[in-house]
Amino acid sequence: MVIISGGDEYSPFTSKFYSKEALAEYLGDSVNENEPVLEYLFEKYNRATPRDVRRYDIIFYGVTGYTGKLVLEYLRDVYAKKPTEFTFALGGRTESKVAAAQDAILKGTPFADAPIVTAQLDKPYTVKQLVNSCRTVVNLAGPFMTTGGEVLAEACVIYECDYCDVNGELPYTYNLTRLHDRARHNRVRLVPNSAFAGGFADIAAFAAVRKLKEKHNKPARSCTGYIEQSISELAGPSGGTLATRAAMANAPDSVKQIMADPFGLGGRVSGNRPEDSDKTLSTVAKDEVGWLAPFNYAFLDTRVVRRANVMHQLMGGGLYGPVFNHQEYILCPTEEIAQEIKKRAGSTKKEEEDLKAKGRYFAQGQGPSMEEMKGSWIRYTTVARTEDKEQVKLVFNFDVEAYYATAQITTEVAICLAMARDQLPYAGKGGVLSPSVACGQMLVDRLLANGMSVSVE
Ligand SMILES: NC(=O)c1ccc[n+]([C@@H]2O[C@H](COP(=O)([O-])OP(=O)(O)OC[C@H]3O[C@@H](n4cnc5c(N)ncnc54)[C@H](OP(=O)(O)O)[C@@H]3O)[C@@H](O)[C@H]2O)c1
């Protein structure tokens, strides 16, 4: 079992914070006089604020974007009724844009005057100020591969602030895994993929494997996720998602190699098993649940769950089995539909043409409205199986589209981290963790209390 970690060498924040440019910006012209002395002063006046006296439980960074605004809608819809449950500030890189989003969505609610905090990801001092004023940061600024959010994540490790984000980009999560050892040492939880893509498969697998253990008292040999979605005619990808897909498509070969590794985020099971290969995820097949077609996000979700397997074991949970396998597909009513989905899978050109023809090719910052997404739903079936073929089947339902589910998941992860640190699984331990490893059953329960439902079959 292998996990990825970059030791002390990976330092996106530190290398910027102690750069001559940053020193010059913070200390002015005197920077050329005596660098060691200035570095000393820089350190001295930039100490971490103790966690328990920080101003906010949570800062939501990037609320000006499409997903960020859905987070504001979720806060309005669910937490405006219980405004004292946690304290928060709204963050972004431009104060006036954050204020406009707040005014548009939170006016007339108890959050109309929630404080605003600005930081620029390429200005490390502002990042440090932001991190130092809260106990948990939610990063909603993407595409993650191009915004430099790694700076924010390393600052969280250094200043002992928990972190989650909505990224659905394996290369970004991979970069964060290089901070794992330091996060573990500082007992900080970095929780990338706290979103529908990358995160929900993990939450569902955790719940199913846990049920399997309860029922049969045996470890899981495998877990398969089956997704069905109905999206309304006017729903579709946001401009931010389209920009993210372009960033992934343009990634250099070295990054594509990591993306093509079934254990690219760690958790490798020994032996070269066909069941772990991406070929298995790319074919049309039939199993006892139905016809299966390739699912684009399976190439991220399977990696997240495979890492979660090893993390649960290393942190003392040992929930999954040592030879555990995870797979994920789109569940289809017929073979013809499965073949059609396979034909379209990965064709960004065709998708672009279709969206443009419908006038739904959104620019960054835009996407379908909540009204346009009405009627969308997601059904996610997870089957966990033992070596002896006993199984548990859980069927999760959301009456919303994946973007709103993402807003819900990331907010609930942040609340778990900020408000219940001592009651979370593996209390006192940190690292780069999936949502299920970081928040366990508490997260499942919070999602069930706020709109998601589940049935056991
Ligand atoms: N995993 C999932 O299921 C899932 C679901 C939804 C979204 N996402 C991901 O979330 C990200 C955002 O998507 P979106 O549709 O909300 O995009 P968007 O509408 O374009 O919003 C992007 C946000 O990021 C901020 N931003 C961009 N570049 C930045 C930089 N260099 N420094 C600081 N902030 C920066 C923007 O701030 P300004 O307003 O100041 O430009 C804005 O707040 C994408 O990466 C998307 O793939 C993932």
Side-chain angles (χ1 to χ4, degrees):
M1 290 279 185
V2 178
I3 54 160
I4 292 168
S5 172
D8 287 336
E9 281 149 36
Y10 184 65
S11 55
F13 172 82
T14 316
S15 56
K16 277 204 166 70
F17 195 68
Y18 293 104
S19 68
K20 226 170 167 176
E21 295 73 44
L23 285 171
E25 196 170 326
Y26 180 52
L27 296 164
D29 291 343
S30 53
V31 72
N32 291 324
E33 287 168 12
N34 186 337
E35 272 186 40
V37 172
L38 292 172
E39 273 198 33
Y40 166 78
L41 287 173
F42 201 56
E43 276 282 27
K44 185 171 155 78
Y45 291 107
N46 280 290
R47 294 248 165 85
T49 306
R51 267 179 71 89
D52 52 354
V53 299
R54 292 183 193 176
R55 262 186 92 184
Y56 311 112
D57 293 316
I58 303 172
I59 293 181
F60 296 93
Y61 183 77
V63 295
T64 55
Y66 176 69
T67 310
K69 286 179 185 157
L70 292 179
V71 167
L72 298 188
E73 297 206 16
Y74 184 66
L75 290 172
R76 179 196 61 201
D77 297 347
V78 176
Y79 289 100
K81 288 171 227 141
K82 23 188 172 176
T84 54
E85 193 153 324
F86 54 93
T87 58
F88 69 86
L90 305 178
R93 54 180 169 173
T94 314
E95 186 171 353
S96 58
K97 276 188 92 173
V98 178
Q102 180 175 28
D103 197 44
I105 299 166
L106 298 176
K107 200 174 180 172
T109 76
F111 305 143
D113 297 318
I116 292 175
V117 174
T118 53
Q120 288 76 39
L121 297 177
D122 58 352
K123 301 249 184 299
Y125 184 69
T126 66
V127 171
K128 193 235 159 177
Q129 295 282 78
L130 180 141
V131 162
N132 234 339
S133 64
C134 65
R135 283 173 278 280
T136 298
V137 171
V138 181
N139 186 8
L140 302 154
F144 288 80
M145 282 173 72
T146 59
T147 51
E150 293 92 342
V151 169
L152 181 56
E154 193 203 351
C156 285
V157 172
I158 294 171
Y159 299 109
E160 294 171 24
C161 177
D162 292 325
Y163 165 102
C164 65
D165 69 45
V166 296
N167 100 73
E169 297 151 58
L170 190 139
Y172 180 79
T173 298
Y174 175 82
N175 283 347
L176 294 206
T177 63
R178 299 169 71 193
L179 296 167
H180 175 75
D181 278 349
R182 290 165 60 205
R184 189 165 58 97
H185 180 267
N186 288 4
R187 300 171 184 204
V188 168
R189 293 187 178 205
L190 300 184
V191 193
N193 313 117
S194 295
F196 191 79
F200 194 71
D202 165 61
I203 296 166
F206 166 81
V209 170
R210 196 166 181 262
K211 251 291 166 273
L212 187 74
K213 188 134 194 183
E214 242 171 60
K215 203 167 159 197
H216 299 287
N217 198 25
K218 289 183 186 171
R221 170 65 181 80
S222 69
C223 188
T224 309
Y226 306 84
I227 184 159
E228 296 163 89
Q229 291 190 74
S230 166
I231 58 170
S232 71
E233 182 62 16
L234 291 173
S238 70
T241 297
L242 294 168
T244 298
R245 286 184 195 160
M248 299 230 271
N250 294 327
D253 286 349
S254 55
V255 172
K256 285 192 174 143
Q257 234 171 355
I258 296 167
M259 289 162 74
D261 179 350
F263 295 97
L265 297 178
R268 193 174 299 282
V269 174
S270 60
N272 213 354
R273 310 183 305 181
E275 65 187 289
D276 297 322
S277 84
D278 282 352
K279 212 168 149 207
T280 311
L281 301 176
S282 312
T283 46
V284 166
K286 191 170 193 294
D287 75 358
E288 75 273 14
V289 179
W291 279 101
L292 313 177
F295 178 46
N296 282 351
Y297 284 109
F299 302 90
L300 169 64
D301 294 352
T302 51
R303 278 58 165 168
V304 172
V305 177
R306 289 166 189 174
R307 178 182 174 86
N309 174 30
V310 69
M311 290 315 305
H312 277 296
Q313 289 185 53
L314 289 175
M315 290 180 78
L319 256 187
Y320 305 8
V323 290
F324 178 77
N325 167 261
H326 180 258
Q327 294 172 356
E328 190 183 43
Y329 304 96
I330 297 177
L331 184 60
C332 304
T334 64
E335 181 177 8
E336 290 67 36
I337 292 175
Q339 292 292 3
E340 184 58 28
I341 289 173
K342 179 181 152 88
K343 213 158 61 187
R344 287 170 170 257
S347 170
T348 44
K349 191 90 206 114
K350 176 88 183 85
E351 184 189 39
E352 187 179 326
E353 282 165 15
D354 289 352
L355 290 171
K356 280 185 173 155
K358 285 199 276 179
R360 308 293 291 170
Y361 194 79
F362 290 109
Q364 275 176 270
Q366 292 170 2
S369 67
M370 281 301 281
E371 194 54 33
E372 290 169 339
M373 290 193 286
K374 251 193 187 145
S376 303
W377 53 259
I378 308 164
R379 184 160 47 232
Y380 194 99
T381 303
T382 310
V383 181
R385 303 172 179 93
T386 67
E387 188 78 60
D388 303 319
K389 310 270 185 280
E390 291 109 336
Q391 69 171 52
V392 158
K393 184 177 181 184
L394 299 187
V395 183
F396 295 90
N397 286 289
F398 288 87
D399 284 336
V400 290
E401 218 268 342
Y403 284 103
Y404 193 76
T406 291
Q408 178 176 8
I409 292 167
T410 203
T411 306
E412 295 304 335
V413 168
I415 296 172
C416 289
L417 294 173
M419 308 310 291
R421 218 176 188 233
D422 298 338
Q423 297 139 51
L424 291 176
Y426 322 123
K429 294 185 181 177
V432 178
L433 311 174
S434 71
S436 82
V437 181
C439 305
Q441 189 60 32
M442 186 183 293
L443 176 61
V444 179
D445 292 342
R446 291 195 72 95
L447 293 173
L448 288 171
N450 288 299
M452 180 182 84
S453 65
V454 66
S455 57
V456 185
E457 291 179 8

